[in-house]
Amino acid sequence: MYKNIVFDLGGVVVDFAPHDFLLDRFYDEAIETKVYDITFGSVEWRQLDAGELDREAGNAAMLQKAAEAGCTFEVQSVLDDWYRMLKTRRRTVDVMKRLKKMGFSLYYLSNIPWDVYEEMQQRDFWPLFEGGVASCEAGTNKPDPRIFQLLIERYGLVCSETIFVDDNKLNTTAAYDLGITGIHYKGGASFLRALNACGIPIKEHLLW
């Protein structure tokens, strides 16, 4: 019987779709790819998530690469505005509230830099969590199994009693390899179907 449900944050509880964000800004596949590789897809972005760089140092490194690639303006505009993506997904929060009422313990496990992590803790959904692990504090990112082990050990979770929800299949596969049930999040409706398949009956009409 499941007792714990662990949520990724970006892409599940809050919006985070960098490819769509860049598409809406530039309408040019070559520029989108170049800017993505310098920002969201960069080593520096992973280092920010792992807490190895602060925002100032990370942005400076990305802008240096942008200058070398001749796209300083485009990268600066993204670094100035990407936080705009991080809108709370109210439907996911409604599901979380329902799960909480049903007696499940909710946790987070997220690749997230310190500045965003601190901002997330001010959101109205934060008290729904019993706790969790952020990559910036763990010093490593999903899908590294060590970050899952940290969550398990910190809260005494039993893997067979735990569901992990993430929009990245590599991360749900990593959870599965540890004996945790992984749900690959593809949207609200499919998420509810997956919960129902796990024996957690949540009907859409009860939420919205």
Side-chain angles (χ1 to χ4, degrees), residues 61-131:
M62 287 184 274
L63 285 168
Q64 176 62 40
K65 288 185 175 180
E68 294 167 1
C71 56
T72 300
F73 173 80
E74 290 84 357
V75 168
Q76 183 69 69
S77 72
V78 168
L79 295 178
D80 288 343
D81 205 31
W82 75 273
Y83 291 91
R84 201 166 50 82
M85 268 192 288
L86 304 175
K87 295 181 175 64
T88 299
R89 293 187 170 181
R90 302 314 317 179
R91 290 191 170 189
T92 299
V93 173
D94 287 343
V95 174
M96 292 166 62
K97 290 177 179 177
R98 182 71 177 177
L99 291 167
K100 193 81 171 178
K101 288 181 179 178
M102 294 171 72
F104 291 97
S105 296
L106 309 185
Y107 301 88
Y108 60 87
L109 183 63
S110 185
N111 288 350
I112 190 170
W114 279 111
D115 54 332
V116 180
Y117 181 45
E118 291 169 359
E119 195 277 331
M120 287 294 112
Q121 294 176 62
Q122 308 308 311
R123 302 279 179 111
D124 63 353
F125 60 74
W126 200 256
L128 294 171
F129 293 122
E130 302 288 331

Side-chain angles (χ1 to χ4, degrees), residues 82-206:
W82 75 273
Y83 291 91
R84 201 166 50 82
M85 268 192 288
L86 304 175
K87 295 181 175 64
T88 299
R89 293 187 170 181
R90 302 314 317 179
R91 290 191 170 189
T92 299
V93 173
D94 287 343
V95 174
M96 292 166 62
K97 290 177 179 177
R98 182 71 177 177
L99 291 167
K100 193 81 171 178
K101 288 181 179 178
M102 294 171 72
F104 291 97
S105 296
L106 309 185
Y107 301 88
Y108 60 87
L109 183 63
S110 185
N111 288 350
I112 190 170
W114 279 111
D115 54 332
V116 180
Y117 181 45
E118 291 169 359
E119 195 277 331
M120 287 294 112
Q121 294 176 62
Q122 308 308 311
R123 302 279 179 111
D124 63 353
F125 60 74
W126 200 256
L128 294 171
F129 293 122
E130 302 288 331
V133 173
S135 59
C136 58
E137 60 159 332
T140 188
N141 300 330
K142 297 175 296 182
D144 187 333
R146 290 177 297 174
I147 196 171
F148 292 91
Q149 291 287 2
L150 179 58
L151 178 75
I152 291 164
E153 292 168 8
R154 178 177 290 179
Y155 298 101
L157 305 184
V158 177
C159 291
S160 61
E161 297 175 348
T162 303
I163 293 172
F164 173 59
V165 187
D166 198 296
D167 64 324
N168 186 322
K169 193 171 184 179
L170 288 175
N171 297 336
T172 56
T173 298
Y176 175 82
D177 289 342
L178 294 171
I180 298 169
T181 296
I183 293 179
H184 182 202
Y185 186 91
K186 300 177 182 178
S190 65
F191 177 39
L192 293 186
R193 288 195 296 270
L195 287 175
N196 276 269
C198 291
I200 302 173
I202 297 183
K203 302 300 182 183
E204 189 167 351
H205 74 271
L206 295 177

